[in-house]
Amino acid sequence: MGKNTFLAISATTLLAFAVTACTGGGNIEGDTASSDSPGPQSSDPQASPEEGVGTERAMSEPFGPACADVPQKGAGSFAGMAREPVATAASNNPELSTLVEAITRAGLVDTLNDAEDVTVFAPTNEAFEKFPEDERDALMQDKERLTDVVNYHVVEGRHTPQDLENGEFTSLQGDPVTTSGSGEEFTVNDQANVVCGNVRTANATVYVIDAVLTPR
């Protein structure tokens, strides 16, 4: 191959490379420019978490010291209770067995299970044990009075923790129930503390309390 022929081929090759470079094919600068362009994530408004979402999610969860005693699995767990109506859900929680006995003796199991969207302030077994034994036994034997007491712990509507901050409700028994507090600390009628709140059942929101409420 002569020298002139070799130079001609080299010039042709260089010209072809230059044309390719100008069109961006295989060019390092072209690749860099492409990587600097905003990707789909940066232009997606959902890429950044919305303000307040974490707080709303936290407030939708059960809260309170007694929630630690709720089983992680099974019918008595939060997930298990969420599938059952309120009286049945309470019967799956051993800490509410005295309340369930009261509901049963008052003949209110079906009434509570069939109710639509209620809030129940549910006294623990220890709450009932604050009564002297003879008074507690007398209450359990008096169906009319027991019905009033149980119904006094139920109000219409599913109420959120925010509703309890300065709440005034009318119980199914007819007398008023008041709530106050904020964050994860709430009281009912200034006498009972919420020890596990915002527990969901199929038809109710439950706030477990450490004292039995008594109607006027």
Side-chain angles (χ1 to χ4, degrees):
M1 178 183 296
K3 181 177 181 181
N4 291 337
T5 302
F6 175 80
L7 290 175
I9 294 172
S10 298
T12 301
T13 302
L14 288 172
L15 180 61
F17 181 82
V19 171
T20 303
C22 289
T23 60
N27 184 285
I28 295 177
E29 291 184 1
D31 290 343
T32 303
S34 176
S35 65
D36 288 341
S37 301
Q41 266 191 322
S42 61
S43 63
D44 184 356
Q46 300 299 324
S48 300
E50 295 181 11
E51 185 178 358
V53 168
T55 301
E56 292 175 4
R57 183 178 298 114
M59 292 307 291
S60 70
E61 300 291 333
F63 63 86
C67 291
D69 298 329
V70 175
Q72 296 295 312
K73 298 179 180 179
S77 67
F78 291 129
M81 287 189 286
R83 292 190 288 266
E84 301 287 356
V86 63
T88 303
S91 70
N92 293 327
N93 187 330
E95 297 300 318
L96 300 177
S97 60
T98 306
L99 173 62
V100 172
E101 180 184 357
I103 292 170
T104 303
R105 286 176 176 266
L108 295 174
V109 172
D110 290 340
T111 299
L112 292 179
N113 276 348
D114 293 340
E116 293 185 10
D117 294 334
V118 293
T119 294
V120 178
F121 300 103
T124 62
N125 294 343
E126 289 184 2
F128 280 95
E129 289 169 4
K130 291 179 180 180
F131 285 103
E133 185 175 358
D134 57 340
E135 290 185 21
R136 188 171 66 247
D137 290 345
L139 174 63
M140 289 294 185
Q141 298 299 325
D142 188 339
K143 183 175 181 180
E144 183 177 354
R145 184 182 169 211
L146 191 59
T147 299
D148 281 347
V149 169
V150 172
N151 280 334
Y152 187 57
H153 290 77
V154 185
V155 301
E156 292 184 356
R158 286 179 178 261
H159 293 290
T160 67
Q162 290 89 339
D163 294 336
L164 270 58
E165 290 179 1
N166 189 24
E168 295 184 9
F169 313 100
T170 300
S171 71
L172 297 190
Q173 178 268 344
D175 285 349
V177 176
T178 61
T179 59
S180 60
S182 62
E184 296 187 355
E185 296 184 0
F186 295 92
T187 59
V188 185
N189 285 359
D190 293 325
Q191 72 177 91
N193 298 303
V194 173
V195 294
C196 184
N198 210 28
V199 178
R200 303 300 182 91
T201 75
N203 67 329
T205 300
V206 177
Y207 293 88
V208 180
I209 55 178
D210 64 359
V212 177
L213 308 176
T214 52
R216 294 176 181 176

